[in-house]
Amino acid sequence: MTVKPQFSPYAESLLVHFRRVESIKSESVSYPSVDLGVRQLCDLELLVNRAFYPLQGFMTRDEYESVLEHMRLPDGALWPIPICLDVTEKLASSLATGESLAIRDGEGFMLAVLHVEDIWQPDLGREAEVVYGTRDPARHPGVRAFFEETKPWYVGGKIEGLHLPQHYDFPELRLTPSETHRIFSQNGWRKVIGFHTRDNLHCAHKEMILRAAREAGASILLHPVVGRPRSGDLDYFTLVHCYKQFVQKFPRNMIRLGLTPFAERFAGPREVLLQAIVRKNFGCTHYMVSEDQGDPFAANGQDLFYPRGSAQEVLAEHVGDIGITMVPIRRMVYVEDKSQYIAVDEVQPGMSVKEISSAELRRRLMEDLEIPDWYSFPEVVAELRKAYPPRHRQGFTIFLTGLSGAGKSTLAKVLLAKFMEMSDRPVTLLDGDIVRKNLSSELSFSREHRELNIRRIGFVASEITKNGGIAICAPIAPYEEPRQIVRELIQGYGGFIEVHMCTPLSVCEMRDRKGIYAKARAGLMKGVTGVDDPYIAPSNPELRIDTSEMTPTEAAQEVFLYLEEQGYIR
């Protein structure tokens, strides 16, 4: 029998009394359970600590439909993005309304109980279209992540929290809404301006935040998100160390640093509305918003997906609903004539403006070049240099891809021997056949299993790269998407050099050391890449090598010349 919980809309959190915890634990022996992924854990934490107030659990179908159709909950409260618990079809078919579901972290530790009110299969394409503005994963990385991560069924209902997810890193910075309210009150802060970030911050950001805070007469909550990492993100621990140095540059008792486990969707204006609601629940009275906030391409120089300024416009329309004042972010640039930062719209003709892009900063770090004091603080730069050592001290992955018989394994062995001779980094060979035997022996050669095999290779290579080693990978890897996933994973830690072994199929068939082409042509083997299964050539590899035109030693020399040009070896 399930005891119906009692919820108070004014409670500091959805955590139950410790005596109720013991009761739930004894009852939960018979409950079905679900282990949450990273995004789901972020959502659960913000539900339980009431950063997602007024939600009292994962959305029911009525709430979900109301948010999609009207961007509001059934009671009229503004809410821009569905917060749902997605589960497998197998689990959904085993549940019934009125039952309880144990919610656990990835290690099986029970964090909460969901009292099931609704079970349904949503139209994920429709949800993507409404929330993101497209259902095409090729156009929007947030949509791609949504389709890749979201399971096909939703379960909704109120939750009772037993524990917040356990964090062993920076516990003093993981403030809950009730804690920030208390801190603001103790410090006498009546106005607080929230600043959402996931990027590193430098001198221009300090001037931008200070100007906004002074104009609003507010103190500052620097509130970086520590939810899901994104390709190209700076190492999370380094980021936090940089933030801790950054806040030291502000006047005393003016700024507070806090981390929030917000799983970004990059849904443009709707995302910014959710960010503002969360900051309001953390006690902020003002919220800083840039022209491109919430856009998936805001940080990498590509054309924006959402119209520039739309985030600010949409939030300005709904500040009354949220109860927060929107503060437009004014981009600052360094004017050499004045030796100071000023807003872009205050720059006069003839002024000498200096800027360094994120890409240029990374290049300077990689090549061990000077970072000027006008751009960043020496303490921040020192932390960055730990995360971005010069390329000749970084780990990297050489990813050889091509048909069977193209020369991947031979080139990999030559490279291995040459790197071992250099003996300046540990080297690991992840040959396709070796991996299949030792890491993926249970996998078939279906497309799904081939992609899984490449992801496994990518994970191992990323760990080697992260720890300063060299990984040489030599799988066939016939499909573009898993190769790109591996690239994105590894580039967060070091170098990734994709080498397309473009030896023609006719030459590969003549070599046919394993006899697989002969068997395929005779109809004795199915799913052979290049015969009855496609090989999708890389669209933009670092190198293309045709071993029908050069020896293995010459091919290795091509790789080493590229590595030397890029600064990976000396």
Side-chain angles (χ1 to χ4, degrees):
M1 176 180 175
T2 300
V3 178
K4 186 174 179 61
Q6 298 296 317
F7 295 94
S8 167
Y10 305 106
E12 284 194 343
S13 73
L14 295 182
L15 292 173
V16 299
H17 191 275
F18 74 91
R19 294 183 63 180
R20 174 68 178 142
V21 171
E22 297 306 316
S23 173
I24 290 174
K25 285 183 176 179
S26 63
E27 294 169 7
S28 67
V29 174
S30 61
Y31 292 171
S33 66
V34 60
D35 293 349
L36 301 190
V38 175
R39 169 184 53 82
Q40 295 169 320
L41 280 169
C42 289
D43 288 348
L44 176 69
E45 184 164 356
L46 296 183
L47 283 168
V48 172
N49 71 19
R50 302 318 300 272
F52 277 167
Y53 178 86
L55 300 187
Q56 295 186 356
F58 288 104
M59 287 183 175
T60 62
R61 187 167 192 172
D62 284 347
E63 292 170 326
Y64 170 79
E65 292 293 341
S66 181
V67 167
L68 287 187
E69 290 294 327
H70 310 292
M71 214 162 63
R72 293 184 181 274
L73 297 170
D75 65 2
L78 179 73
W79 198 272
I81 294 177
I83 304 297
C84 297
L85 178 61
D86 54 297
V87 300
T88 62
E89 182 178 4
K90 180 179 180 181
L91 177 58
S93 64
S94 70
L95 296 173
T97 57
E99 291 185 343
S100 295
L101 175 66
I103 298 178
R104 304 179 184 276
D105 64 16
E107 297 179 355
F109 183 68
M110 188 162 68
L111 300 171
V113 170
L114 182 143
H115 301 283
V116 180
E117 299 176 35
D118 263 325
I119 307 164
W120 77 101
Q121 185 173 18
D123 180 345
L124 296 181
R126 170 179 167 247
E127 181 178 337
E129 187 74 47
V130 171
V131 173
Y132 295 93
T134 181
R135 60 179 70 198
D136 184 357
R139 293 184 59 209
H140 196 305
V143 173
R144 187 181 75 183
F146 174 70
F147 284 133
E148 287 178 352
E149 298 174 358
T150 308
K151 300 178 185 67
W153 286 78
Y154 285 173
V155 180
K158 294 181 175 63
I159 59 175
E160 289 186 281
L162 281 66
H163 313 276
L164 289 171
Q166 182 65 59
H167 300 289
Y168 298 104
D169 51 313
F170 306 110
E172 74 283 2
L173 299 179
R174 293 181 176 274
L175 306 172
T176 65
S178 61
E179 289 170 335
T180 55
H181 276 269
R182 188 158 47 247
I183 290 168
F184 299 163
S185 178
Q186 289 172 346
N187 289 343
W189 294 0
R190 297 179 59 191
K191 293 182 179 180
V192 180
I193 191 167
F195 185 69
H196 172 110
T197 184
R198 62 192 325 278
D199 301 313
N200 202 26
L201 304 177
H202 304 287
C203 298
H205 300 98
K206 178 198 170 187
E207 298 303 321
M208 178 180 70
I209 295 170
L210 267 178
R211 173 177 286 207
R214 285 170 176 155
E215 289 176 357
S219 300
I220 305 157
L221 175 63
L222 180 61
H223 216 200
V225 296
V226 290
R228 297 179 296 173
R230 186 174 64 163
S231 172
D233 278 357
L234 185 63
D235 155 55
Y236 151 67
F237 288 93
T238 299
L239 261 179
V240 177
H241 287 306
C242 288
Y243 292 143
K244 292 174 78 171
Q245 295 294 341
F246 180 75
V247 297
Q248 297 300 316
K249 304 303 177 180
F250 286 76
R252 294 188 64 183
N253 198 38
M254 185 179 187
I255 189 169
R256 182 70 190 226
L257 172 63
L259 308 181
T260 182
F262 186 88
E264 293 176 296
R265 274 78 167 173
F266 302 101
R270 282 185 177 244
E271 174 106 359
V272 171
L273 288 178
L274 183 58
Q275 293 172 4
I277 291 170
V278 168
R279 289 333 181 292
K280 174 65 175 179
N281 287 333
F282 271 93
C284 295
T285 56
H286 295 67
Y287 186 48
M288 295 182 67
V289 181
S290 67
E291 290 184 318
D292 55 7
Q293 195 152 317
D295 195 284
F297 304 118
N300 58 14
Q302 291 179 247
D303 292 338
L304 299 179
F305 183 85
Y306 302 100
R308 184 172 295 277
S310 59
Q312 295 175 338
E313 292 169 6
V314 171
L315 181 55
E317 293 172 8
H318 293 92
V319 292
D321 286 300
I322 300 171
I324 199 166
T325 300
M326 194 269 289
V327 178
I329 288 178
R330 300 175 68 189
R331 192 166 68 88
M332 309 290 286
V333 292
Y334 185 76
V335 177
E336 191 170 28
D337 318 25
K338 293 178 171 290
S339 296
Q340 68 182 54
Y341 278 89
I342 67 173
V344 170
D345 56 11
E346 296 174 356
V347 175
Q348 300 296 319
M351 285 185 174
S352 176
V353 173
K354 302 180 73 173
E355 290 186 274
I356 293 179
S357 67
S358 297
E360 173 62 13
L361 171 63
R362 192 161 187 168
R363 184 190 73 83
R364 290 181 180 227
L365 291 168
M366 295 289 192
E367 298 182 14
D368 206 17
L369 301 175
E370 178 192 6
I371 311 297
D373 289 346
W374 62 260
Y375 176 77
S376 191
F377 305 105
E379 297 86 349
V380 171
V381 172
E383 296 293 343
L384 290 174
R385 291 200 185 279
K386 296 176 187 176
Y388 287 114
R391 277 184 171 169
H392 66 274
R393 289 197 278 114
Q394 283 184 25
F396 59 86
T397 291
I398 297 175
F399 194 90
L400 309 173
T401 171
L403 296 168
S404 177
K408 301 184 301 300
S409 295
T410 302
L411 176 56
K413 290 174 183 176
V414 177
L415 292 173
L416 175 66
K418 297 296 183 182
F419 284 130
M420 293 292 285
E421 285 180 3
M422 295 170 67
S423 68
D424 65 339
R425 298 178 179 94
V427 190
T428 304
L429 173 60
L430 298 171
D431 183 74
D433 292 335
I434 296 172
V435 170
R436 276 282 180 178
K437 182 177 180 180
N438 296 285
L439 188 63
S440 299
S441 59
E442 85 285 6
L443 299 184
S444 70
F445 287 88
S446 67
R447 177 162 188 149
E448 178 185 6
H449 280 190
R450 288 182 179 192
E451 292 187 355
L452 177 57
N453 182 54
I454 297 305
R455 291 188 187 218
R456 288 180 179 178
I457 291 172
F459 172 75
V460 175
S462 73
E463 290 296 303
I464 294 167
T465 301
K466 178 170 64 176
N467 288 287
I470 300 172
I472 306 170
C473 307
I476 292 175
Y479 311 124
E480 179 76 355
E481 184 178 352
R483 292 195 302 257
Q484 287 302 313
I485 291 171
V486 170
R487 175 185 288 274
E488 291 175 4
L489 175 63
I490 292 172
Q491 283 182 333
Y493 302 118
F496 183 85
I497 299 92
E498 184 177 41
V499 182
H500 177 207
M501 305 297 290
C502 57
T503 309
L505 175 62
S506 59
V507 176
C508 296
E509 288 202 58
M510 287 177 57
R511 293 172 178 172
D512 200 17
R513 290 188 232 173
K514 302 173 187 175
I516 62 171
Y517 291 114
K519 292 178 182 177
R521 298 299 184 190
L524 301 177
M525 183 180 290
K526 300 294 183 184
V528 174
T529 302
V531 179
D532 59 347
D533 198 74
Y535 177 83
I536 312 300
S539 56
N540 191 30
E542 279 68 24
L543 291 169
R544 295 190 193 273
I545 292 177
D546 181 350
T547 59
S548 66
E549 300 176 349
M550 61 178 69
T551 67
T553 302
E554 290 171 334
Q557 184 66 14
E558 289 288 309
V559 175
F560 273 91
L561 285 173
Y562 177 84
L563 293 173
E564 190 169 8
E565 288 172 0
Q566 298 299 313
Y568 288 108
I569 59 175
R570 287 183 168 182

